[in-house]
Amino acid sequence: MNIASLINALPGAAAQGLIWGIMAIGVYITFRVLDIADLTVDGSLCTGGAVCIMMMQAGYNVWIAMLVATLAGMLTGLATGLFHTFMGIPAILSGILTQLGLYSINLKIMGKSNQAINVDKYDLLVSLRYVKGVAFYKNTILIVAVIIVILIAILYWFFGTELGCSLRATGCNGSMARAQGINTNFNRVLGLMISNGLVALSGALLGQYQGFADINMGRGAIVIGLAAVIIGEAIFGKIFRNFALTLLSVAFGSIIYYLVLQVVIWLGIDTDLLKLLSALVVAVFLAIPYWQGKYFSKPVKKGGSH
């Protein structure tokens, strides 16, 4: 086992971790803020990648392509939100239905199951080739890090506004929020739109980074997103109390996830088992709070002290 090959692979893993970090922040908004397990992300990530690549192939500027990809992602969130609020379908099923429908829509957007984009022919914002040996302002890691900081700043501002606070109240206690006159259905739809917009933006960056959009690129995305959220909370939860720092910890969680994955590949473990390992890691991290409460907390004496 050559340690140099591992070190060589780390910048790429960090770049990929940052790109998926944007998706993980989207997952955090639904999973932690809204208290909804949204499975739309497996489809909306691919939608973002597909729209961005196809628009760039059609000659549009990379920024416009990414903006439209983000808006397309918000539309997928709107679909899930309407399934959930207007049609009364449980949130988890709404996400599955949208994800299923998006498979066909993504195929139609791309025209086939895979569309490539060449870094030499198109002016891409990020790419595998821009990780090492390029001017620092072109470096993928720096560019994505700056995008994440800007997104966190915008989200921090938004969740501090009256609308943002009502959205958080909806996730904390829907009945209480309704009693205060908050339109919880509108907030759920809005939260899902913001979340999937971020996921699609991540997909747009990922499509550029790897040089292609593929119909299966979002498969298992929810697991990676949850892994990033859970790892970020487990490691940085005690230190990062502020909302902006919590979002940052989610992005860090994504980087850690990809660095661990790189180590696993370097150790020579069968890559066919990566998805299984990911699922087991998420399962263990999700179980930790439950185990802490059940097995490691001190029993409370009944009857109180006299």
Side-chain angles (χ1 to χ4, degrees):
M1 277 188 269
N2 186 359
I3 195 89
S5 65
L6 175 65
I7 292 165
N8 210 24
L10 291 183
Q16 213 170 344
L18 276 168
I19 291 170
W20 283 90
I22 297 173
M23 187 270 310
I25 291 170
V27 170
Y28 180 86
I29 289 170
T30 47
F31 186 62
R32 283 287 184 245
V33 179
L34 273 182
D35 199 22
I36 291 173
D38 177 32
L39 298 183
T40 316
V41 296
D42 283 26
S44 58
L45 185 95
C46 178
T47 303
V51 169
C52 181
I53 300 283
M54 295 313 290
M55 285 197 68
M56 289 193 74
Q57 282 186 2
Y60 286 94
N61 173 298
V62 64
W63 294 103
I64 293 170
M66 281 164 58
L67 176 65
V68 175
T70 305
L71 293 172
M74 292 180 86
L75 284 176
T76 67
L78 176 65
T80 302
L82 290 176
F83 279 147
H84 178 45
T85 56
F86 180 66
M87 297 172 86
I89 300 167
I92 198 157
L93 273 178
S94 302
I96 291 168
L97 286 171
T98 311
Q99 178 196 328
L100 190 66
L102 282 174
Y103 188 87
S104 299
I105 292 167
N106 294 339
L107 270 176
K108 279 291 174 199
I109 291 169
M110 293 193 287
K112 55 182 182 177
S113 63
N114 188 299
Q115 284 283 4
I117 192 161
N118 192 328
V119 67
D120 298 321
K121 290 183 187 169
Y122 296 93
D123 189 17
L124 303 183
L125 183 66
V126 296
S127 168
L128 265 164
R129 285 205 214 158
Y130 298 163
V131 174
K132 284 177 282 193
V134 289
F136 81 97
Y137 58 85
K138 269 191 118 173
N139 191 306
T140 292
I141 295 174
L142 177 74
I143 289 171
V144 182
V146 169
I147 291 171
I148 285 181
V149 169
I150 293 167
L151 285 174
I152 288 175
I154 294 167
L155 287 169
Y156 184 67
W157 167 81
F158 170 73
F159 280 105
T161 63
E162 194 177 334
L163 180 58
C165 288
S166 72
L167 208 150
R168 284 157 79 173
T170 301
C172 282
N173 189 329
S175 308
M176 181 75 173
R178 271 192 300 277
Q180 298 293 331
I182 293 170
N183 186 341
T184 51
N185 281 351
F186 170 78
N187 283 342
R188 285 200 182 98
V189 174
L190 179 64
L192 285 162
M193 286 176 73
I194 293 168
S195 167
N196 284 288
L198 288 170
V199 172
L201 174 62
S202 171
L205 287 166
L206 186 65
Q208 291 175 60
Y209 177 77
Q210 60 191 17
F212 64 89
D214 184 81
I215 193 68
N216 290 321
M217 69 191 267
R219 183 163 291 173
I222 185 69
V223 174
I224 297 170
L226 285 174
V229 171
I230 304 299
I231 291 168
E233 285 180 343
I235 296 173
F236 304 105
K238 293 277 191 286
I239 322 162
F240 292 173
R241 297 288 187 189
N242 178 294
F243 183 69
L245 291 176
T246 304
L247 293 178
L248 192 61
S249 74
V250 171
F252 286 156
S254 179
I255 297 167
I256 291 164
Y257 173 83
Y258 267 92
L259 292 177
V260 169
L261 220 57
Q262 206 59 56
V263 172
V264 166
I265 293 167
W266 175 71
L267 287 171
I269 292 169
D270 186 355
T271 48
D272 291 349
L273 299 174
L274 284 181
K275 286 271 197 285
L276 175 64
L277 286 169
S278 302
L280 291 173
V281 166
V282 175
V284 169
F285 272 106
L286 280 170
I288 285 170
Y290 173 73
W291 287 343
Q292 279 177 334
K294 192 169 169 67
Y295 302 115
F296 301 108
S297 61
K298 291 173 185 172
V300 180
K301 288 181 183 175
K302 287 183 180 174
S305 56
H306 295 288

